[in-house]
Amino acid sequence: MALLQISEPGMSTAPHQHRLAVGIDLGTTNSLIATVRNSIPEVLNDEEGRPLLPSVVRYLANGHAHIGYKAQAEQSNDPKNTIISVKRFMGRGLKDIAYAEHLPYDFHDEPGMVQLKTIAGIKSPVEISAQILATLRQQAEDSLGDDLVGAVITVPAYFDDAQRQATKDAAKLAGLNVLRLLNEPTAAAIAYGLDNASEGTYAVFDLGGGTFDISILKMSKGVFEVLSTGGDSALGGDDFDHRLFCWILQEAKLAPLSDEDTRLLMTKAREAKEILSSKTSTHIDAKLLSGESVHLQIQASTFVEMTQNLVLKTITPCRKALRDAGLSIEDIDGVVLVGGATRMPQVRKAVSELFQTTPLANIDPDKVVALGAAIQANLLAGNRAAGEDWLLLDVIPLSLGIETMGGLAEKVIPRNSTIPCARAQEFTTFKDGQTALAIHVVQGERELVSDCRSLARFELRGIPPMAAGAARIRITYQVDADGLLSVSARELRSGVETSITVKPSYGLADGEVARMLQDSFTSAEGDMKMRALKEEQVEAERILLATQSALSSDAGLLSEAEQSTIAGLMNQVSELTNQNDLDALHAAIKALADGTEEFAARRMDQSVRSALAGKKLDDIS
Ligand code: AMP
């Protein structure tokens, strides 16, 4: 069964273009999502107003997962099923993972990418990352109130092809269109508008919770090039916490601690560290489970002294990155700070001294990467402001289209569109109860499919049976910066979706991809039922309000017996509104609609009569 196009009266048949685009910083410890609204990039907070989503996923026995803060809070009770720092496993085999034997996970060594055995089954790092991305996507759709056209997702500059491909796959699995993967340091440079300068060489100094990255970027003719990268994958703000923790043990003369007390004091150390970035001293007070208590005061200068060699550890990789790029300090035009740990004054001082310039630090270092990604996403989605210059990368030589009813080719992305780009069009089902759609991707300028080149065929299955024309199927075409096309189809009412899967370079088996897609279909059915019930409840509320308002103005048109029949029908609807019986609620709504038909007719008569009262026939003809 081919596609039936949804036509909107009076609208052009040109492809519908949805332009809501986001930037995502998919971090090792925390992730963020940002967008550009009214020309201003901003991070989208969750419903509790928090900008960060901890990159933590906990799997449960019932197959569900907790993601973010909830998972993080449960981490110590269920370490085996609570996956943290999954970014370190992306596109990696077991042998590539340092300290694998010290991690609490049950690894399953697959050829290609490592898998993790959890209580909810075997999960790949791609699936786990997809859970994080899907949460961010939901967060964005909730706060923006619409579907997203695409996303720019950031990756470390040193990520290789397999790690990048894994990140792209995770995004696809989360239902996101990847407009482009962007290097994290480049995103930070974009956030500072360094791409507006015609030329320049910049260092991006990124000290996060657990990793340190330094990148040297060169901007020329509108393109950022990564000249060199370096860093230390085992150095970050956590090491500063640990130093302070050891100092507390020593000063308070504490004996070896239980796990709980260690965690408590580590948290206290972290809090004190963060305070000392803006105060000259602070107190550390804690009551331990062991019964001992801690009351200490620490000067910022003491903290700076005890962490001096950690700060020094960042300098050597900077010098090396400069050497690798064939540059000296004088060649650097500016330094950008990224990562929460760059808030420490001693770090800023060391960076200033090394590069002999005051680093750019006025954008929140936790948000700068996501903000830069959002700016890039906004441009790629075609939302540039008038006069904004933007790089023409490449164009599509032949239109990309889709087969519709009657063997016609409908163009989705017209030729000469600049890439990367993404366009979406909506289609619907043709027959009552139709549960599958065949999607045929074609290339060419001719009207008939038989005259175009066939690129791919795939099917969207698992559409819940509905009346013809009720399904809303959004087909999204996306061409990435490398000119590669991916096509995805999503039934918007149920969330069922599928896509043509690019064969990943790390060798994810076809069966594996199919299983992942199948999983998302299985949960879609439940979501669909819930949605239907919610929609019916809204309808119930609507009809109750309408009837109530009609009664309050025109009850006089009804006899007492009729009034009490309608009241009974209304009671029936309102009783069922908060129950979960969709069919019964639907029947009650119908009964109320039928039972008030006569009342509606009398009201209509009356309003026509009163409108005509006192008018001559000539006035109204
Ligand atoms: P990120 O991975 O970029 O989110 O950075 C997290 C690290 O930044 C953690 O070690 C935090 O303790 C640290 N951090 C956040 N705020 C501050 C602050 N005000 N002073 C020092 N370190 C901070």
Side-chain angles (χ1 to χ4, degrees), residues 348-377:
R348 292 194 176 184
K349 184 159 168 273
V351 175
S352 305
E353 281 171 6
L354 173 68
F355 289 101
Q356 291 160 28
T357 174
T358 308
L360 294 166
N362 55 323
I363 301 179
D364 184 333
D366 286 321
K367 296 181 179 168
V368 64
V369 168
L371 294 172
I375 294 170
Q376 182 79 353

Side-chain angles (χ1 to χ4, degrees), residues 29-30 207-209 237-238 270 273-274 277 339-341 343-344 366:
T29 325
N30 292 304
L207 189 63
D238 300 349
R270 180 176 178 146
K273 171 193 77 174
E274 294 182 3
S277 289
R343 289 199 182 89
M344 285 183 282
D366 286 321

